Amino acid sequence: MIGFSLFGYRIAFGSDPARISSWACYYGSSDCTQELLEFDLSVVAESGQDPVSLREQGRKVLVYVSLGELGGDSPYLEEARNIGLLTRYNENWDSWVVDVRDARWHEMLLERIIPQALARGYDGLFFDTLDSPIDMQRRDPDKYKGTERSCVELVRTIRQQYPKLLLCQNRGFEIVARTALSLDFLLIEGLSCSMKLGAESAISVPVQDREYLLAKTGQARKTNPNLTVLSLDYAPSGDAQSISNACEFSRKQGFIPYVSTPALDEVFVSADCF
């Protein structure tokens, strides 16, 4: 099957459901079905965009799941606090980093959080925030020894429990060579340009940071040659040059680009990313 879009031909999924040519990340709550239909794959929030209409028209939809943090509005926050799972407050996102080594966190994820996230029907899971507990081990290697290993075990366990779901990991580059075989997608966030929340302009990613991301991604692809790599850069919707440059650079690496603002509450439909 070959589909058509505003920007021409769309690569069909065919026998490989991870074979896509475009993707979008949207965490807003307004219905953006028409905009998201332009993309082969969408990553959405659990309480946001309804996935049904997109899936009915042959699009793939992944739901966001935080593996390393709990948001300040999470219904599981007080329970996690009471049993001692929380390690550090993340003021940037009003969230708490959890101790991923604790078996009770794995149980909470596998038996409640993930099944609840999947309840509306999705093609897979988008893993976020694994870099937060990994950073705790970097800050205090003795106190948080074994955190990286537990993150790897968690991803592999999710793959075992959901063998047919599409799985995408965001960042967590310290472990990605070990998790790559459990993944269908890897997301590189901030490959070319980035923005701070509330900022009005984009800033270029330093060359050494970009080289680090590319090196780690290369390791992951060596482990899993079938891994589809996505990129997510941040720029204002009116910054056509930054958007074009980010998409062009990503495509040259063999990645699939998308550009939006850090809030990810609107859908950018830019010809440069197709």
Side-chain angles (χ1 to χ4, degrees):
M1 178 187 74
I2 298 178
F4 293 89
S5 76
L6 178 64
F7 301 109
Y9 291 102
R10 178 189 307 279
I11 295 177
F13 294 113
S15 59
D16 181 1
R19 187 187 178 208
I20 62 169
S21 62
S22 59
W23 85 288
C25 190
Y26 172 61
Y27 295 156
S29 57
S30 299
D31 184 9
C32 287
T33 298
Q34 291 307 309
E35 294 91 336
L36 292 172
L37 282 173
E38 292 297 328
F39 301 89
D40 294 328
L41 173 75
S42 293
V43 173
V44 302
E46 176 186 345
S47 58
Q49 173 70 40
D50 185 351
V52 175
S53 55
L54 294 170
R55 298 184 72 209
E56 286 177 345
Q57 298 192 60
R59 308 302 187 262
K60 301 296 181 183
V61 187
L62 308 184
V63 62
Y64 177 99
V65 174
S66 175
L67 297 187
E69 295 186 3
L70 277 173
D73 59 351
S74 171
Y76 300 96
L77 184 63
E78 283 309 307
E79 179 183 354
R81 190 192 311 278
N82 291 337
I83 61 177
L85 287 180
L86 308 184
T87 63
R88 179 172 62 89
Y89 181 62
N90 183 347
E91 60 183 13
N92 292 325
W93 298 104
D94 183 29
S95 58
W96 285 86
V97 182
V98 300
D99 189 342
V100 298
R101 299 170 300 175
D102 197 310
R104 293 171 298 178
W105 174 239
H106 291 222
E107 180 182 4
M108 190 180 293
L109 278 169
L110 294 166
E111 297 187 7
R112 288 185 282 165
I113 294 176
I114 290 177
Q116 177 183 311
L118 291 169
R120 289 203 293 172
Y122 297 89
D123 298 285
L125 300 167
F126 174 83
F127 303 149
D128 199 17
T129 69
L130 277 174
D131 52 326
S132 296
I134 290 172
D135 183 59
M136 297 301 293
Q137 181 172 335
R138 186 185 306 111
R139 291 171 180 235
D140 192 336
D142 294 327
K143 184 175 181 179
Y144 294 102
K145 182 179 180 180
T147 295
E148 285 190 12
R149 181 174 64 252
S150 292
C151 288
V152 173
E153 292 172 353
L154 180 57
V155 172
R156 290 175 176 173
T157 300
I158 294 171
R159 167 52 73 203
Q160 292 169 1
Q161 184 159 322
Y162 296 100
K164 295 183 179 180
L165 287 187
L166 295 173
L167 302 183
C168 178
Q169 177 177 314
N170 179 23
R171 299 183 71 90
F173 289 104
E174 293 84 354
I175 66 169
V176 74
R178 288 173 278 170
T179 59
L181 286 175
S182 297
L183 304 173
D184 300 284
F185 302 97
L186 171 65
L187 172 62
I188 306 175
E189 190 177 10
L191 177 62
S192 292
C193 55
S194 188
M195 291 176 66
K196 292 183 178 180
L197 281 173
E200 297 182 356
S201 59
I203 56 175
S204 296
V205 173
V207 173
Q208 62 269 26
D209 292 350
R210 178 185 286 184
E211 290 177 347
Y212 170 82
L213 297 175
L214 292 175
K216 290 296 185 180
T217 301
Q219 293 174 8
R221 296 178 98 180
K222 185 175 181 180
T223 302
N224 181 3
N226 295 319
L227 192 64
T228 298
V229 180
L230 314 174
S231 68
L232 174 59
D233 287 290
Y234 297 117
S237 58
D239 189 348
Q241 191 61 58
S242 291
I243 294 172
S244 177
N245 290 345
C247 293
E248 181 181 5
F249 182 80
S250 176
R251 290 287 185 191
K252 284 183 177 179
Q253 315 310 311
F255 307 157
I256 302 173
Y258 182 64
V259 180
S260 186
T261 57
L264 295 167
D265 57 358
E266 56 184 307
V267 180
F268 282 22
V269 184
S270 170
D272 291 304
C273 287
F274 287 81

